[in-house]
Amino acid sequence: MSFTSNVPFDVLQFAKTLTKLEYGDPTVLDMINQNYQNLGRAYRIGVTGPPGAGKSSLVTMMAKHYREEGVRVGIIAVDPSSPFSGGALLGDRIRMQQLGADENIFIRSMASRGAMGGLAEYADAAADLFDLYGFDVILLETVGVGQSELEIAQCADTTVVVIVPQSGDVIQGMKAGLMEIGDLFVMNKSDDPFSEKATQQLKSAIHLKEWGEWTPPIINTVATENRGIDRLIHQLNAHHSFLIQTGALEQRRQQRLVRRIKQMVTEKVERELWNKTREIKLLQAIQERRQPQHILEEIYQDFRGSFYVGNESESN
Amino acid sequence: MERKIRILIAKPGLDGHDRGAKVMAAACRDAGMEVIYTGLRQTPEMIVNAAIQEDVDIVALSILSGAHMTLFPAVLKLMKEKGLNDVLLTGGGIIPEEDMKALEALGVGKLFGPGTNTQEAIEYMKNWVSKHRTYKVV
């Protein structure tokens, strides 16, 4: 299966290809692989922040703005799955209603579990697919509450961290790791009386870190009223130019690929390592109350040994 | 890995009573489905557009306004036009039995009235998907 940009965009087929990708369909992975050289045309923007910060509203306004410039916009909105039922309630489209049925905006909601391998890996691959199918701007939206969510944000060329005055102590944000990944900070709901103070706090928090050539700006917005969005887009353009001119874009993309391939290798090894036989051995050893360090050594040696034998045919 | 059932739950038209839709959305989530909830006041175009993009197995509409004889056929027609041939259109609300029968004759799936057990609807949807789904995970 090969990809040519001359073929008219078939929305139904694209949607189904995304589903196949989500379940690790080899034909789709192969297609992305074969078109690897064509990737990187789209500008990928990650939008993250605490629940209720207004990420979906902001993404909606950004998408609208980009549409006015005539570019095609892809949106990937990730929401958490229930660890108990495996189900998910994906509600980002509620805020995106006003984007209507514009055929140049494609929104896909994703559940955090149910993705093949790691979530970040999948979101990254999904962004690749949007890229290949000619979307100019890809907005990746995730709740910034855990490691994997932070990683998704890092699938982007530019990461926007959204916070609100009501988040209270900005220092909490620093703990969560959000402060380190932002290229741009958005103080949304800036019509709040505490916004000025919160912006000041955020500013001093940002300046605690040595940023190098690019110090993240703070943009005050009221997404629901479309206020401050033009400034946000302006700063995004500035950051995009900065990335291109300094070579940082290429560097970031390389780092991303390093991370992604490392993760894929790790997952492959892990799948081979934890076959049924070893799972049972581990449980037995624990039930026999043997020392953890000894169990570790035995399993590790057994795994290493399997390479010399040359197969893992007893697996699963 | 088994493929999850994806369902779009929407409220078309102008009625703002979304309690039923939300109860169903939560029940479907708890049954392990991925629920795309689009909220209130959706046009048939918006609903079908979202159904295409999200590649759902099921579109479920909640209608309490009495406009079901207009909205279900409108969504169904658009689904067919856009090529959504392997997607179930179902739903619930205040719908008289004879209207349910008329809609089913048009090609709409089973519809559920007040007092329905959520499990009954979920079982129906699960069965439908296992029978009609065309793409299976390799």
Side-chain angles (χ1 to χ4, degrees):
Chain A
M1 189 160 144
S2 73
F3 177 87
T4 46
S5 53
N6 310 331
V7 182
F9 180 67
D10 179 344
V11 65
L12 214 55
Q13 188 239 341
F14 180 65
K16 289 191 184 300
T17 308
L18 273 171
T19 304
K20 288 182 182 176
L21 176 66
E22 187 163 5
Y23 290 95
D25 187 306
T27 57
V28 180
L29 291 172
D30 194 44
M31 196 250 308
I32 295 177
N33 248 329
Q34 281 181 17
N35 291 283
Y36 171 68
Q37 298 296 340
N38 302 325
L39 286 172
R41 211 189 48 82
Y43 179 32
R44 304 177 187 199
I45 305 168
V47 179
T48 191
K55 295 177 293 297
S56 299
S57 303
L58 202 71
V59 162
T60 303
M61 289 305 166
M62 289 163 75
K64 264 189 155 177
H65 197 105
Y66 280 119
R67 280 303 299 136
E68 279 162 22
E69 291 178 11
V71 302
R72 292 177 70 208
V73 181
I75 299 174
I76 302 172
V78 184
D79 269 338
S81 303
S82 159
F84 303 107
S85 70
L89 222 168
L90 311 169
D92 290 312
R93 287 192 95 100
I94 299 173
R95 311 265 178 270
M96 297 178 186
Q97 275 194 22
Q98 53 178 300
L99 295 176
D102 183 343
E103 59 183 20
N104 286 306
I105 299 180
F106 189 103
I107 308 167
R108 185 62 172 246
S109 312
M110 275 175 201
S112 58
R113 246 157 277 248
M116 52 124 186
L119 174 60
E121 182 191 329
Y122 170 49
D124 209 9
D128 284 349
L129 210 57
F130 275 87
D131 192 343
L132 281 180
Y133 277 80
F135 286 88
D136 305 289
V137 171
I138 303 163
L139 300 163
L140 289 141
E141 181 200 330
T142 61
V143 178
V145 288
Q147 191 55 41
S148 59
E149 286 82 2
L150 291 181
E151 280 171 16
I152 300 165
Q154 286 172 302
C155 297
D157 299 321
T158 299
T159 301
V160 178
V161 172
V162 188
I163 64 167
V164 283
Q166 298 92 330
S167 310
D169 195 349
V170 177
I171 305 300
Q172 293 293 338
M174 298 173 70
K175 284 188 206 160
L178 275 177
M179 299 302 286
E180 284 112 281
I181 61 162
D183 296 305
L184 273 75
F185 287 87
V186 167
M187 180 67 74
N188 195 29
K189 308 189 187 178
S190 277
D191 52 351
D192 185 281
F194 295 108
S195 119
E196 208 170 315
K197 195 177 161 207
T199 306
Q200 279 309 321
Q201 282 182 348
L202 177 61
K203 197 179 269 177
S204 37
I206 287 172
H207 286 285
L208 287 177
K209 195 189 150 184
E210 214 36 72
W211 289 93
E213 288 171 88
W214 175 271
T215 303
I218 302 170
I219 302 107
N220 292 88
T221 62
V222 185
T224 50
E225 292 170 19
N226 198 14
R227 277 158 60 190
I229 307 302
D230 44 350
R231 265 177 290 136
L232 171 59
I233 301 285
H234 178 78
Q235 288 291 353
L236 279 167
N237 291 339
H239 190 246
H240 195 200
S241 310
F242 164 82
L243 288 175
I244 292 166
Q245 279 158 16
T246 56
L249 188 66
E250 193 45 44
Q251 215 180 346
R252 277 187 183 204
R253 288 179 175 172
Q254 283 171 7
Q255 282 165 2
R256 218 153 63 204
L257 214 53
V258 166
R259 222 171 32 231
R260 187 157 146 193
I261 292 173
K262 266 189 183 176
Q263 196 188 354
M264 290 195 297
V265 173
T266 306
E267 275 161 14
K268 195 168 177 169
V269 171
E270 207 174 306
R271 274 196 299 273
E272 276 180 33
L273 168 61
W274 290 115
N275 60 32
K276 278 238 169 69
T277 318
R278 287 202 189 90
E279 290 272 10
I280 292 167
K281 264 189 196 164
L282 172 63
L283 187 66
Q284 276 172 352
I286 290 167
Q287 284 165 345
E288 287 163 15
R289 293 178 173 274
R290 292 179 42 213
Q291 286 179 23
Q293 193 64 33
H294 286 168
I295 305 174
L296 181 156
E297 273 308 316
E298 194 179 288
I299 290 174
Y300 178 67
Q301 292 305 336
D302 175 48
F303 183 53
R304 281 193 54 172
S306 66
F307 288 109
Y308 301 110
V309 178
N311 67 60
E312 281 274 293
S313 54
E314 90 281 10
S315 63
N316 301 317
Chain B
M1 182 190 182
E2 206 190 330
R3 195 178 150 193
K4 301 242 185 249
I5 294 176
R6 274 170 82 88
I7 176 172
L8 182 92
I9 297 183
K11 279 200 64 78
L14 294 175
D15 104 70
H17 301 276
D18 58 358
R19 178 89 189 142
K22 282 178 173 161
V23 167
M24 245 357 264
C28 290
R29 177 201 61 201
D30 294 343
M33 298 183 191
E34 291 181 2
V35 183
I36 293 105
Y37 184 63
T38 58
L40 298 171
R41 288 182 274 281
Q42 301 280 295
T43 65
E45 286 76 15
M46 287 159 86
I47 290 166
V48 175
N49 185 51
I52 293 170
Q53 293 184 349
E54 300 288 358
D55 192 20
V56 293
D57 304 290
I58 303 162
V59 174
L61 307 180
S62 166
I63 304 173
L64 299 157
S65 63
H68 47 267
M69 293 309 281
T70 310
L71 291 167
F72 274 107
V75 171
L76 189 66
K77 182 167 169 268
L78 216 53
M79 282 170 67
K80 299 293 169 221
E81 270 173 32
K82 302 277 184 184
L84 290 180
N85 300 313
D86 53 353
V87 178
L88 169 67
L89 175 62
T90 178
I94 315 281
I95 305 166
E97 204 131 318
E98 58 204 77
D99 288 355
M100 284 185 183
K101 286 203 182 102
L103 289 169
E104 276 172 40
L106 282 179
V108 176
K110 198 166 155 46
L111 298 173
F112 299 88
T116 303
N117 185 318
T118 52
Q119 287 314 308
E120 187 192 330
I122 285 165
E123 277 311 306
Y124 165 71
M125 293 191 287
K126 280 187 171 170
N127 281 333
W128 192 95
V129 170
S130 70
K131 272 190 206 132
H132 294 83
R133 185 177 257 172
T134 46
Y135 171 69
K136 304 246 180 355
V137 177
V138 271

